[in-house]
Amino acid sequence: MPHACQICGGALEEFLDLGRQPLSDAFLSEHDPQDEFFYRLAVGACSSCTMVQLVEQVPREKMFHTDYPYYSSGSSVMREHFQQTARALLDTAGPDPFVVEIGSNDGVLLRTVHEAGARHLGFEPSGKVAAAAMEHGVRVRNEFFDAGTAADTRREEGAADVIFAANTICHIPYMRSVLDGIRTLLAPEGVFVFEDPYFGDIVAKTSFDQIYDEHFYFFTARSVQAMVAPFGLELVDVERLPVHGGEVRYTVARAGARTPSAGVAALIADEKARGLAEPPTLRRFAADTARIRDDLRTLLRRLRDEGHRVVGYGATAKSATVTNFAGIGPDLIEFVCDTTPAKQGRLTPGAHIPVRPAEAFADPYPDYALLFAWNHADEITAKEQGFRAAGGKWIRYVPDVHVS
Ligand SMILES: [Zn+2]
C-alpha cells in the first residue's frame, strides 16, 4: 500500500531508500552499543501537492528529548546569522512586538530579542538546550508547539506579531496541527517566518546527507505555498540563504494581508522549469546519491589499504546518514572529532566510530580528514590551517567525492 502525504493525504511516490538508519543524535556509550533503535530512511514526493517527505516517522520524543545535543550557538557564523535575523525581524515588526519562536534551542535568536527589550516566548521541548536559553533571560515554554499550546499562548499572552522558526518546521511531521496553531496565534498583520534547508539546493548539490530522522520535510516554494493555503495563509516572500548548505527563508502572512513579492512567483517558476520534485529529477538525484556512496567507499578503502590515517571531522546528524548508508565504520575512519561534550567519548550512531574532542585533531595530524560538517567548511578550514600546513588533505563528498 502506498504511503500517504502528511500534508494533503495524497499518494507518496518513494524515490530514495537510504536503508536502515539509527537516530542521528543517539550517541552510544562504549559499553552498550546493542540496544539501538533503527528505522528505514526513505524519501517520497507527493503526487498531489509535490511535498517531499520521509515515508516513515520517528516518534518526536525519541528525537527532541532532554539530552538533545545540538546547540545552535555552537557556530560563530550561525550566531551572527541569528543576531542579524533578530534585528531584521524587530525592525519590520512595528511598535511593541510580541515575537514567538518555535524551536528556540539555546536562545541564539531570542537572546537578541530579549536584549532589545521586546516581548518574546520560545517553544523548546528539549530540556537542556531550553535551560541554556533561560540562563540568558529568554522566556521559554519547555513544550512542543502545536494547535493546543498555540491556543494557550493566544489566550494567555495575546497574538504574535512575528512567529519565527529556524531549522525546526521541517522537523515536524504533524504540520497540520502546527499550521492550525499559527492561524490561531498570528496577529492579523503578523508574519510567520521560517527558514529550512531548500530542496532545490539539496538536489543541485546532491547533499543527500541533509536527509535524516529530524528532517522530515524538504520544502520548495511551490510545496510551501500549497501547504499553507488551506489554513488561510499565503506565502508572501522567499529569500535564499547560504547557511547550512543552502536554505530558503519563507515569509507567510494571512491571505490578502500582504502582496506577495515578485520573488515568490520567480522561485516557483524556476522550480517548475527545473522539474524539481518531479520523477525524472528525483530519479537522477537517487542515482547521483548512489554514485557518491560508491565513490566514497572506494576511496576510503583504498586509503586504508595504502596505510593512510583517516579521521572524520564533525559528528554531525548528517554524518549518520552518510556512514550508515555507505557502510563506513571504525575500520575506515579511526575516530570523528567534535566540539560537543555530550558526544565525546561515545560511539557514533549505527556506525560505532569513536568520537573524540576537537583537541584530538592535532599534531600528529591524520593524513586525511573526511569533512562531515561541510556546511561549516569556511569556518573549519580557516581554523584548521595547521592540518593543511602538516600536509593533511580534506575529503569532501558534496557535490561529489573529491580530495583537496
Ligand atoms: Zn501532498
Side-chain angles (χ1 to χ4, degrees):
M1 204 183 79
H3 292 269
C5 171
Q6 294 296 317
I7 299 293
C8 78
L12 269 193
E13 308 277 350
E14 183 177 320
F15 61 87
L16 178 63
D17 184 347
L18 293 162
R20 231 172 125 259
Q21 293 275 348
L23 299 173
S24 62
D25 75 8
F27 290 79
L28 307 165
S29 126
E30 305 246 4
H31 307 292
D32 61 342
Q34 293 85 2
D35 186 26
E36 263 191 296
F37 173 88
F38 284 90
Y39 70 104
R40 190 172 76 94
L41 180 60
V43 199
C46 176
S47 54
S48 299
C49 75
T50 76
M51 184 66 80
V52 176
Q53 60 203 273
L54 300 189
V55 300
E56 270 190 32
Q57 277 184 48
V58 173
R60 63 186 188 179
E61 291 79 8
K62 280 194 182 293
M63 297 186 282
F64 307 111
H65 45 70
T66 301
D67 294 322
Y68 183 64
Y70 181 79
Y71 288 72
S72 302
S73 296
S75 151
S76 62
V77 172
M78 294 313 296
R79 283 199 299 277
E80 177 62 22
H81 170 78
F82 287 120
Q83 282 161 7
Q84 283 175 8
T85 303
R87 286 193 286 267
L89 291 171
L90 289 171
D91 283 348
T92 55
D96 188 29
F98 178 35
V99 178
V100 170
E101 185 177 11
I102 305 172
S104 49
N105 197 272
D106 59 6
V108 65
L109 177 114
L110 286 182
R111 251 183 254 179
T112 302
V113 175
H114 166 62
E115 283 158 14
R119 288 188 299 138
H120 66 274
L121 179 66
F123 282 82
E124 178 50 67
S126 305
K128 284 188 183 164
V129 291
M134 288 185 260
E135 279 167 24
H136 288 90
V138 172
R139 290 184 62 231
V140 182
R141 283 179 84 129
N142 188 205
E143 288 182 305
F144 288 98
F145 181 94
D146 56 25
T149 54
D152 293 345
T153 303
R154 178 76 173 82
R155 204 169 44 246
E156 293 161 16
E157 310 205 27
D161 302 286
V162 177
I163 302 175
F164 179 77
N167 308 304
T168 300
I169 296 301
C170 76
H171 291 180
I172 309 178
Y174 48 96
M175 187 66 75
R176 284 184 285 212
S177 177
V178 169
L179 291 170
D180 198 18
I182 285 163
R183 173 168 57 186
T184 303
L185 184 57
L186 194 66
E189 302 294 324
V191 286
F192 167 40
V193 179
F194 64 102
E195 51 190 63
D196 278 298
Y198 179 50
F199 189 61
D201 286 315
I202 292 173
V203 169
K205 296 176 183 170
T206 319
S207 48
F208 66 95
D209 59 346
Q210 293 278 15
I211 302 167
Y212 54 89
D213 52 358
E214 294 172 14
H215 287 174
F216 189 82
Y217 293 111
F218 302 90
F219 296 130
T220 64
R222 188 181 174 188
S223 64
V224 166
Q225 186 182 56
M227 172 177 91
V228 301
F231 296 85
L233 301 169
E234 187 176 19
L235 179 61
V236 296
D237 198 21
V238 288
E239 183 187 349
R240 303 286 292 267
L241 304 173
V243 298
H244 286 316
E247 300 204 330
V248 168
R249 178 180 293 157
Y250 303 92
T251 301
V252 169
R254 292 194 184 274
R258 296 184 184 219
T259 306
S261 71
V264 174
L267 189 55
I268 290 175
D270 176 64
E271 291 169 355
K272 287 182 177 168
R274 289 174 64 187
L276 194 63
E278 285 169 22
T281 306
L282 299 175
R283 278 197 296 273
R284 194 167 62 243
F285 174 67
D288 289 345
T289 296
R291 178 179 46 76
I292 289 175
R293 173 197 59 196
D294 296 345
D295 289 352
L296 186 57
R297 201 154 48 187
T298 301
L299 172 66
L300 293 176
R301 285 177 180 164
R302 179 170 66 76
L303 294 175
R304 176 195 57 193
D305 294 347
E306 291 172 0
H308 296 292
R309 283 183 66 215
V310 184
V311 308
Y313 197 103
T316 56
K318 295 192 293 295
S319 71
T321 296
V322 179
T323 55
N324 288 286
F325 180 53
I328 298 169
D331 57 323
L332 295 176
I333 292 184
E334 193 177 313
F335 61 85
V336 184
C337 64
D338 197 281
T339 54
T340 311
K343 298 177 181 177
Q344 296 162 3
R346 295 186 164 249
L347 301 173
T348 64
H352 301 172
I353 303 167
V355 183
R356 304 241 173 99
E359 295 73 41
F361 193 74
D363 199 17
Y365 283 105
D367 303 306
Y368 293 85
L370 178 52
L371 185 56
F372 288 121
W374 56 263
N375 49 315
H376 299 299
D378 292 344
E379 202 172 343
I380 290 168
T381 51
K383 182 179 152 199
E384 302 294 359
Q385 288 175 11
F387 172 58
R388 291 303 294 271
K393 294 189 175 71
W394 292 104
I395 302 172
R396 308 275 294 265
Y397 52 87
V398 170
D400 51 29
V401 176
H402 57 287
V403 174
S404 59

